Amino acid sequence: MQKKSNVILRLVVLALILFVVNMISSKLYFRLDFTEDQRYTLSRATKDILHDLDDVVTVKAYFSEDLPAQLLNNRQDFEDLLLEYENRSGGNVVYEFVSPNDDEEIEGEAQQYGIQPLVINVTEKDQVQQLKAYMGAVLMMGDRREVIAVVQPGVNMEYDLTTSIKKLSVVDKPKVAILQGHGEPSLQGLVQLSGQLSVLYDLEPLDLKQKSEVPGYIKTLAIIHPKDTISAEEFARIDAYMAQGGNVFVAYSNMNGDLQSGYLSKGTSIGLQEWLRNKDVQMGDQFVVDANSGSVTVQQQNGMFNFRSQIKFPYFPMLSEFPDHAITKGLEGIMLPFVSALSYIGRDSVTQYSPLLMTSERSGLATTPAGVSIDKRWTEADFNHGSQTLALALDGPLVGNQRAKLVVVSNGQFIVNGNPPQQISPDNINFASNAIDWLSDDTGLIDLRTKGVTSRPIDQLEDGEREIIKYINVLVPILLVLVYALIRKQRYASKKQRWMQGNYK
Amino acid sequence: MNKIWIITRRELSAFFDSLIAYVLIVIFLGLSGFFTWLFGNNVFVIGQASLQVFFQIGFWTLFFFIPALTMKMLAEETKSGTIELLSTKAVTDWQIVTGKFLACWLLVAIALVATLPYYMTVSQLGTVDHGAIVGGYLGLLFLSAGYISIGIFASSITNNQIVAFLFALLIGIFFQLLFDVMGFNFRGLSGAVFNYLSMRTHFDSLSRGVIDSRDLIYFASVVLAGLTVSQAMLSRRNWQS
């Protein structure tokens, strides 16, 4: 027998203990990160960059204090991250939090740096009020400054912070040249790529018609989506550059696919294909089609109604599995529209050849010229050429005796934003940036760049196969339970029979 | 410990000897399967090799499934008087409550094991993040533990199963939804407290694939609080004022 008051006392004590334990645990905690890419743990790239810091970076975080709980978590995460940076950098990262809402002077300062408040609605005393939420930060090193206008939650937080620190700490950035003068997109046309590359490099346009050589300080020359003929002199200059150990990135398609006119043909030669053949890289003259492909949106009419539908389009190979290489590390999905196949025909043992992008085993080659029909019924016979290479890397004495590196992708458009700019899938950009990092011998950011890309596309299946998988998954677990029920019932029945026979074992 | 285990086994086989376990598991699997594979934003529509769809569905189906499982645990024993019979044996109230808790938890675990074909399928369809899937399953397991202890508490205060079911849902809806909403609407300390109390905060954190000591302590606290109060309510027949 126990007394009621005792019971109540015990409950109150327990409640207090739980309260205190939870209070302590919210301040003192540990995390185990089981995600495959260690998404919530600092990446190798960040650790290296922090380790190499040789001057103090001051981070001034402009965060409003009185935020709703969810946004408060963002602040907490940012503070946790900064604390970890401080520890990792041996005190070379220092930070402070200020609240712009309390002080007009600080608010002015934040806005001067370009940190704009987010306006959010909060309910207070039954009235919806608007609150200015500041969530930005300024990083300072000496007299240089980097601004993170809005601190994004999740993986972006580490990316933004680390790249900002990197930008501050690199004084003399290596140079990457973008070839111009043959209808290539300008730096503005490559907004995403140039944004990503500017963390590590200074990008500069290079017109070889006006310059007599590729300057020796250029780490990598990028030839992206040229349309007009590149002259023999220009190629000679590029070769001279490579003979000195210069590296070249080529993104070019020799095919001409036009969805508007619905006509597929070989593109006119601009000399690049021949230049590549001198380097033992052969570009095919057929379109690669892959059963694992992207889709196109088609307007269809059914009676009075117009509707849009997505139709799989094998001319847009969708690559989701990648060979093991620094450039492809962490990539999850790239789509390359209208491409031809690449092959390496070199035989010398000194040059190292690595395929980078390959289509699925169910790939085929479509001849040109041909009309393109969206409604075409594709069959297995269309995909019987096996896996095709769409990008490759070479490392060795490509011109002369000096070691040089070359990356070729048989599509030029996949990294071009165009004008007006269109958003491109982040993995396309990551691939090109990784390639330029590899070419320029600076692979430090590759880890971080592809960290937390969350796309994990599932394989393409035939309609029938998909339906079968769906129903198997719905029904099999239920059947398992029913089978178990039946077995149990059987066992019970036989036990009952034994008992009735007087056998109680 | 041994006694707890005996009660657990007895309760579990009682589930499987009656129709309850089968009906509930089949409903759970049917709903999860339907929403994960056939209806709306299913795995193929989203096109990603992950089980996030299933975990979000499970988050809600378990919320309804568990009160139906726990509603009879103590209420029926009190009503039919078998609780008196049970307490003539050398078992304590704490052992009874814990045994019943474990039986329910095992049943939920069995129901979740039956969804492993989903895991096998998506890992065949693409490259999955195994850590995130393990985290998701752990999240569902801990979430269930929390709701089972709440359900057993609801069952301990009444001898009517329907009342126990509804009461468990009523308490549950705070943890499931309302604290989350309040966490967003209130600011400062109260907002942070509500946000901390919400199951979703901790479930989401686990199902990313990160095991955080804060989440584990939160779920353990909910279980411990629920079971202790249930035990206290069960022992009230012995109270002296």
Side-chain angles (χ1 to χ4, degrees):
Chain A
M1 292 289 149
Q2 32 188 333
K3 282 204 166 155
K4 188 176 179 180
S5 52
N6 278 351
V7 176
I8 293 174
L9 186 69
R10 236 177 43 217
L11 291 181
V12 171
V13 170
L14 177 84
L16 277 175
I17 292 175
L18 288 183
F19 178 74
V20 172
V21 167
N22 277 277
M23 281 289 285
I24 296 173
S25 103
S26 66
K27 298 285 170 218
L28 266 179
Y29 56 87
F30 67 91
R31 288 202 286 201
L32 295 176
D33 187 348
F34 283 103
T35 53
E36 196 176 299
D37 50 359
Q38 293 282 299
R39 196 174 308 155
Y40 305 99
T41 311
L42 288 193
S43 74
R44 168 103 267 138
T46 300
K47 288 177 192 165
D48 289 346
I49 287 167
L50 292 177
H51 183 259
D52 296 341
L53 263 187
D54 47 15
D55 203 352
V56 176
V57 175
T58 312
V59 182
K60 198 167 183 184
Y62 293 88
F63 264 71
S64 305
E65 262 166 9
D66 212 8
L67 295 169
Q70 273 84 345
L71 294 179
L72 215 53
N73 285 346
N74 200 25
R75 179 198 164 110
Q76 184 65 45
D77 288 347
F78 192 54
E79 204 171 335
D80 290 349
L81 194 67
L82 283 170
L83 183 66
E84 211 170 330
Y85 274 51
E86 184 179 289
N87 294 335
R88 289 271 174 193
S89 64
N92 270 339
V93 173
V94 290
Y95 64 91
E96 61 168 331
F97 274 77
V98 288
S99 173
N101 297 55
D102 304 339
D103 188 335
E104 275 182 20
E105 201 177 314
I106 297 178
E107 187 168 6
E109 195 178 277
Q111 296 199 340
Q112 203 182 352
Y113 285 133
I115 297 171
Q116 294 296 333
L118 305 174
V119 179
I120 49 174
N121 289 332
V122 288
T123 316
E124 206 155 77
K125 293 182 186 140
D126 289 332
Q127 282 191 331
V128 178
Q129 292 181 339
Q130 291 196 320
L131 176 77
K132 281 200 272 184
Y134 284 90
M135 292 192 293
V138 179
L139 289 82
M140 284 166 279
M141 186 189 226
D143 55 353
R144 277 172 299 147
R145 207 176 279 145
E146 276 295 326
V147 178
I148 304 175
V150 177
V151 173
Q152 307 275 348
V155 181
N156 289 334
M157 204 182 268
E158 186 193 342
Y159 183 81
D160 290 345
L161 201 53
T162 301
T163 49
S164 300
I165 292 177
K166 182 78 186 172
K167 276 189 205 170
L168 282 179
S169 62
V170 186
V171 187
D172 251 336
K173 291 186 192 173
K175 309 275 189 288
V176 168
I178 312 280
L179 190 69
Q180 300 284 300
H182 320 89
E184 294 96 340
S186 63
L187 283 179
Q188 287 78 31
L190 302 165
V191 172
Q192 275 175 274
L193 181 66
S194 51
Q196 213 175 58
L197 288 176
S198 66
V199 177
L200 287 179
Y201 310 100
D202 275 334
L203 300 184
E204 55 181 60
L206 176 72
D207 191 339
L208 281 178
K209 285 176 192 150
Q210 287 161 14
K211 283 238 166 107
S212 59
E213 58 166 14
V214 182
Y217 59 79
I218 298 288
K219 275 270 192 180
T220 298
L221 168 68
I223 305 175
I224 298 170
H225 201 39
K227 296 193 194 83
D228 306 329
T229 307
I230 305 176
S231 67
E233 293 86 45
E234 290 173 88
F235 279 125
R237 284 166 193 160
I238 296 173
D239 277 341
Y241 166 69
M242 287 184 86
Q244 303 293 319
N247 309 304
V248 178
F249 173 80
V250 177
Y252 164 69
S253 175
N254 61 335
M255 307 305 273
N256 205 347
D258 187 355
L259 263 186
Q260 297 300 325
S261 69
Y263 191 69
L264 304 175
S265 60
K266 243 184 104 16
T268 43
S269 169
I270 62 165
L272 197 51
Q273 198 173 336
E274 292 70 28
W275 180 77
L276 283 173
R277 193 171 306 126
N278 285 333
K279 311 278 172 296
D280 293 332
V281 176
Q282 183 121 26
M283 294 192 100
D285 49 12
Q286 287 170 305
F287 281 95
V288 174
V289 287
D290 188 344
N292 197 8
S293 68
S295 314
V296 285
T297 310
V298 185
Q299 191 102 2
Q300 283 180 318
Q301 194 160 17
N302 192 349
M304 286 171 61
F305 300 102
N306 268 325
F307 61 94
R308 284 159 174 264
S309 59
Q310 296 275 324
I311 291 183
K312 297 207 74 66
F313 195 57
Y315 287 97
F316 292 0
M318 182 79 209
L319 315 175
S320 52
E321 281 178 38
F322 303 92
D324 193 20
H325 194 279
I327 297 180
T328 52
K329 199 171 165 201
L331 295 180
E332 285 168 347
I334 293 183
M335 191 178 80
L336 292 179
F338 297 126
V339 275
S340 60
L342 295 176
S343 49
Y344 177 63
I345 48 174
R347 289 215 176 77
D348 75 89
S349 54
V350 198
T351 304
Q352 211 178 359
Y353 155 72
S354 337
L356 296 176
L357 300 178
M358 296 172 88
T359 59
S360 76
E361 281 300 324
R362 289 167 65 211
S363 300
L365 298 169
T367 43
T368 52
V372 52
S373 160
I374 298 279
D375 307 323
K376 178 180 160 89
R377 301 295 293 179
W378 294 86
T379 62
E380 282 304 313
D382 294 312
F383 304 119
N384 55 6
H385 280 86
S387 180
Q388 303 290 319
T389 305
L390 302 184
L392 54 80
L394 296 179
D395 183 354
L398 300 172
V399 180
N401 296 324
Q402 192 91 309
R403 181 182 160 214
K405 292 195 270 189
L406 172 68
V407 169
V408 185
V409 192
S410 67
N411 183 296
Q413 257 174 326
F414 78 116
I415 41 175
V416 179
N417 293 94
N419 195 13
Q422 284 181 325
Q423 187 74 16
I424 295 172
S425 146
D427 257 0
N428 288 15
I429 305 294
N430 289 336
F431 173 79
S433 311
N434 288 354
I436 287 173
D437 281 354
W438 179 75
L439 290 166
S440 316
D441 288 319
D442 191 345
T443 48
L445 273 182
I446 289 183
D447 271 347
L448 185 59
R449 198 173 281 140
T450 49
K451 185 174 171 181
V453 175
T454 45
S455 173
R456 295 175 175 274
I458 54 180
D459 298 343
Q460 294 305 321
L461 303 167
E462 303 271 317
D463 281 354
E465 209 178 340
R466 203 163 59 219
E467 290 303 307
I468 293 173
I469 289 181
K470 280 181 174 183
Y471 284 97
I472 283 182
N473 273 289
V474 176
L475 296 177
V476 164
I478 297 177
L479 279 177
L480 281 178
V481 174
L482 295 182
V483 166
Y484 177 71
L486 220 66
I487 294 174
R488 206 177 158 92
K489 194 164 170 248
Q490 284 288 330
R491 278 217 319 248
Y492 182 71
S494 64
K495 198 155 132 194
K496 197 169 158 191
Q497 197 150 20
R498 277 208 315 276
W499 284 3
M500 282 171 75
Q501 289 164 353
N503 180 359
Y504 295 107
K505 270 187 190 168
Chain B
M1 195 63 211
N2 200 21
K3 286 178 185 159
I4 295 178
W5 183 235
I6 291 171
I7 295 175
T8 305
R9 268 179 40 200
R10 201 214 76 85
E11 287 292 335
L12 199 61
S13 61
F15 270 133
F16 282 104
D17 285 336
S18 69
L19 263 180
I20 303 174
Y22 303 109
V23 172
L24 283 177
I25 293 182
V26 167
I27 292 177
F28 169 73
L29 292 175
L31 284 176
S32 306
F34 180 70
F35 286 107
T36 308
W37 297 100
L38 298 176
F39 184 78
N41 278 335
N42 65 51
V43 172
F44 287 103
V45 171
I46 291 177
Q48 297 287 318
S50 90
L51 279 183
Q52 270 311 317
V53 186
F54 165 64
F55 295 138
Q56 291 309 320
I57 299 300
F59 181 68
W60 278 100
T61 40
L62 285 173
F63 169 67
F64 290 104
F65 169 69
I66 287 168
L69 203 65
T70 54
M71 65 182 186
K72 79 173 198 33
M73 295 317 284
L74 294 169
E76 199 185 52
E77 302 254 20
T78 327
K79 190 174 184 185
S80 60
T82 44
I83 194 74
E84 295 296 335
L85 204 62
L86 196 56
S87 48
T88 58
K89 310 278 181 199
V91 287
T92 60
D93 288 350
W94 176 251
Q95 286 165 337
I96 298 176
V97 169
T98 322
K100 283 171 183 276
F101 166 80
L102 285 178
C104 292
W105 205 20
L106 273 177
L107 189 77
V108 174
I110 291 170
L112 289 177
V113 166
T115 64
L116 286 182
Y118 300 174
Y119 177 29
M120 292 182 227
T121 307
V122 287
S123 54
Q124 287 298 313
L125 287 175
T127 42
V128 292
D129 187 344
H130 299 283
I133 291 197
V134 172
Y137 273 108
L138 278 181
L140 287 181
L141 266 183
F142 288 132
L143 177 84
S144 310
Y147 282 131
I148 291 168
S149 78
I150 291 172
I152 287 183
F153 164 65
S155 182
S156 73
I157 57 168
T158 168
N159 57 12
N160 185 323
Q161 293 191 29
I162 304 293
V163 174
F165 176 77
L166 293 177
F167 196 58
L169 278 187
L170 179 72
I171 305 175
I173 199 77
F174 277 89
F175 286 93
Q176 180 84 357
L177 193 65
L178 297 182
F179 285 145
D180 199 44
V181 174
M182 292 198 257
F184 203 80
N185 278 321
F186 287 89
R187 287 189 288 144
L189 184 66
S190 52
V193 170
F194 284 129
N195 195 50
Y196 183 80
L197 281 174
S198 159
M199 289 260 189
R200 180 170 279 285
T201 312
H202 301 275
F203 174 72
D204 283 351
S205 158
L206 267 176
S207 67
R208 293 179 310 177
V210 180
I211 313 273
D212 191 318
S213 64
R214 284 172 293 186
D215 302 325
L216 300 188
I217 285 180
Y218 166 81
F219 285 117
S221 305
V222 173
V223 171
L224 200 63
L227 294 187
T228 313
V229 184
S230 313
Q231 187 252 339
M233 293 310 287
L234 189 62
S235 68
R236 92 199 118 147
R237 63 189 190 288
N238 299 329
W239 284 355
Q240 294 171 331
S241 41

